[in-house]
Amino acid sequence: MSSNRKATLNYGDGKSIDFPVLGGTIGPDVVDIRTLYGKTGMFTYDPGFLSTASCQSTITYIDGDEGVLLYRGYPIEQLAEKCDFLDVAYLLMRGELPSTAEKKELDYVITHHTMVHEQLNRFFSGFRRDAHPMAVLVGVVGALSAFYHDSTDINNPEHRKISQHRLIAKLPTIVAMCYKYSIGQPFIYPRNDLSYTANFMRMMFGTPTEEYIVNPVLVRALDRIFILHADHEQNASTSTVRVAGSSGANPFACIAAGIACLWGPAHGGANEACLNMLEGIGDVSKIGEFIRQVKDKNSGVKLMGFGHRVYKNYDPRAKLMRETCHEVLGELGLGDDRLFKLSMELEKIALSDDYFVSRKLYPNVDFYSGIVQRALGIPVSMFTCIFALARTVGWIAQWNEMIGDPDQKISRPRQLYTGATQRTVPPMGMR
Ligand code: CMC
């Protein structure tokens, strides 16, 4: 990582200072400015971290110009085709794809952690039935640390491992419970003879009155959604998990913080916003008017599912999602799906419009994932919960990496203060 290269900063009256330039295995070099404040008394100013690497990581690599996404070096396209979600979870957490024996062991461990403490069921009844499922999810996941005290010591590697397994295993159960609670149906207990994703679908759509029939095409499609959402380097929610974890908070609390951040419409809430947008447009004939509104800066309307901080090319996950859309709609005999047709037309028109071309705005993963989820029977309000379920794997892999990083410090950004200078509190009558 270190090199002999230097970047020189000239400042003040003829002063200059050198900083080391560090190189990764791929991707842009970074200027190591950790000594900047100590040596110059200045901070850097970078709202939104546009030019700041907040950590070093070996987990995920994105080349936004080329539209490349690698998990531990493997292209997302290959992982989506050749692996299931738990293979990918193992890869993200441990660094390598599992052998047959390792996979069998992970399947066993995760399967045998899927039940939640029975007392947690009661926790749900404190929420209103009409609460947004993300509001319930963030609360229940945060509450896990109140139920699993025996795995919250972050300095104990065994505790860290158990809490990771618990989070991956219990998220599908809790997400399905959020859904069942919102529609007033009984919770469905997990079953150990089903795969991770099939078990989740059964807990979502099964009822105690009849057996849920697993459709392998639909299970595969949802598993692929999980794989595509599993990690995405230092995005807002992952950075939130790292910032929360940097203070030594327990993993359940950190993942709850990640879920809260993911909820926003500029991040994980975009797939819900995207489907609502498509419903709002309603018909291909209305696309022109909608695009006009998007281009009008005063309208506040955005083309949801388009644009990305890192991808300035087609998001590779969006391509795979579009393919999955075709498969799922074909399997369900919904080839003529109104919203899918509308989204393909919208994509075509946007990609030939100078507003989007000049700003390098392409479809992101959320543009098509909502259509697949809707076809699978997942209600719009649950979309972000599905994202959270999948991203939990990435969050805990990144959290664990941070704990083991010798450079890790509590996250404490500085600021450019622009408020009042010191003044004296006037007496009440003079304010
Ligand atoms: N529709 C219309 N204009 C857009 C859009 C959009 N979706 N995205 C960006 N722009 C414009 C923006 O107005 C700006 O124009 P100008 O230069 O004239 O001021 C320019 O493109 C650059 O945008 P930006 O806001 O500086 O870009 P950013 O990197 O800060 O924001 C983003 C990235 C994802 C927040 C933004 O593209 C967006 O809000 N997209 C819609 C929401 C969405 O789909 N989010 C999901 C992201 S992928 C899943 C995830 O990682 O969570």
Side-chain angles (χ1 to χ4, degrees):
M1 191 178 93
S2 61
S3 76
N4 295 324
R5 287 168 300 146
K6 304 232 175 290
T8 303
L9 174 72
N10 296 311
Y11 68 104
D13 295 329
K15 293 187 210 148
S16 84
I17 180 169
D18 287 339
F19 296 102
V21 173
L22 311 178
T25 44
I26 34 174
D29 292 337
V30 302
V31 182
D32 178 354
I33 50 134
R34 281 176 288 184
T35 57
L36 176 73
Y37 179 61
K39 288 184 175 161
T40 67
M42 289 192 291
F43 298 131
T44 55
Y45 179 62
D46 187 18
F49 303 110
L50 292 174
S51 298
T52 297
S54 59
C55 62
Q56 47 177 302
S57 179
T58 59
I59 301 175
T60 292
Y61 174 75
I62 304 171
D63 183 332
D65 293 326
E66 297 299 321
V68 171
L69 170 59
L70 311 176
Y71 291 167
R72 302 278 189 189
Y74 294 111
I76 191 69
E77 294 82 358
Q78 290 180 29
L79 294 169
E81 190 196 327
K82 297 179 181 165
C83 297
D84 72 12
F85 180 62
L86 286 187
D87 284 321
V88 170
Y90 190 99
L91 174 69
L92 290 169
M93 285 191 298
R94 312 268 161 85
E96 294 298 338
L97 283 165
S99 65
T100 309
E102 288 162 340
K103 177 66 187 324
K104 207 168 153 199
E105 194 198 333
L106 184 72
D107 279 342
Y108 183 87
V109 170
I110 297 298
T111 301
H112 287 81
H113 273 298
T114 48
M115 279 208 306
V116 292
H117 193 293
E118 194 63 14
Q119 195 71 14
L120 198 78
N121 294 2
R122 307 246 194 102
F123 196 84
F124 276 83
S125 52
F127 290 100
R128 287 170 56 136
R129 295 261 180 200
D130 62 355
H132 193 288
M134 280 295 280
V136 179
L137 186 66
V138 76
V140 174
V141 172
L144 287 179
S145 47
F147 287 87
Y148 301 104
H149 299 142
D150 58 342
S151 58
T152 52
D153 177 0
I154 65 157
N155 298 313
N156 180 331
E158 198 50 30
H159 277 217
R160 295 211 299 270
K161 198 166 162 184
I162 297 170
S163 61
Q164 288 177 29
H165 290 158
R166 281 182 166 152
L167 278 158
I168 295 177
K170 294 185 199 308
L171 250 289
T173 313
I174 295 170
V175 168
M177 288 168 90
C178 291
Y179 176 51
K180 289 299 196 192
Y181 186 72
S182 73
I183 56 171
Q185 286 190 3
F187 298 141
I188 302 294
Y189 285 99
R191 254 198 23 208
N192 287 357
D193 60 339
L194 293 174
S195 70
Y196 184 86
T197 304
N199 181 45
F200 173 62
M201 289 185 83
R202 180 178 165 275
M203 290 190 290
M204 282 284 288
F205 303 121
T207 63
T209 48
E210 59 189 277
E211 200 35 61
Y212 177 73
I213 314 274
V214 173
N215 177 330
V217 176
L218 304 188
V219 169
R220 180 72 193 128
L222 188 57
D223 200 73
R224 187 178 255 201
I225 291 182
F226 291 167
I227 292 173
L228 299 184
H229 286 85
D231 195 48
H232 214 228
E233 54 116 307
Q234 308 312 319
N235 56 82
S237 57
T238 302
S239 299
T240 301
V241 170
R242 281 185 179 256
V243 170
S246 75
S247 72
N250 75 69
F252 303 107
C254 296
I255 299 304
I259 294 173
C261 176
L262 186 75
W263 193 359
H267 192 8
N271 50 16
E272 178 174 344
C274 182
L275 208 84
N276 290 335
M277 171 194 79
L278 292 173
E279 290 283 11
I281 299 171
D283 188 81
V284 173
S285 64
K286 307 269 172 52
I287 292 178
E289 175 50 30
F290 178 73
I291 294 276
R292 259 190 299 285
Q293 284 178 29
V294 170
K295 287 158 58 173
D296 173 4
K297 289 277 176 196
N298 298 320
S299 73
V301 177
K302 272 195 169 177
L303 177 49
M304 300 311 285
F306 254 67
H308 200 275
R309 171 64 61 80
V310 183
Y311 293 116
K312 301 303 168 197
N313 198 330
Y314 212 103
D315 178 342
R317 302 169 301 171
K319 271 190 201 140
L320 292 159
M321 219 26 80
R322 196 172 51 181
E323 238 175 74
T324 306
C325 236
H326 279 291
E327 280 165 27
V328 167
L329 297 176
E331 171 70 14
L332 296 172
L334 300 171
D336 274 342
D337 183 76
R338 182 177 57 90
L339 292 191
F340 186 40
K341 282 185 158 170
L342 181 64
S343 58
M344 286 199 299
E345 193 55 30
L346 187 55
E347 176 188 335
K348 205 162 84 194
I349 292 174
L351 291 182
S352 58
D353 188 305
D354 187 57
Y355 176 93
F356 299 94
V357 176
S358 62
R359 289 172 177 76
K360 299 189 176 165
L361 299 171
Y362 292 87
N364 61 49
V365 65
D366 291 322
F367 196 64
Y368 288 106
S369 75
I371 296 172
V372 179
Q373 293 190 56
R374 176 173 150 273
L376 294 176
I378 298 168
V380 176
S381 61
M382 287 297 298
F383 288 1
T384 316
C385 294
I386 303 284
F387 192 161
L389 183 172
R391 184 56 60 85
T392 293
V393 163
W395 287 331
I396 55 178
Q398 301 265 355
W399 171 82
N400 201 41
E401 181 178 67
M402 179 202 66
I403 303 280
D405 182 349
D407 284 347
Q408 190 267 323
K409 289 189 177 312
I410 186 167
S411 290
R412 177 53 171 95
R414 303 306 295 259
Q415 63 175 6
L416 174 62
Y417 178 68
T418 56
T421 53
Q422 186 166 330
R423 47 189 177 155
T424 305
V425 177
M428 183 58 87
M430 296 179 66
R431 290 180 206 165

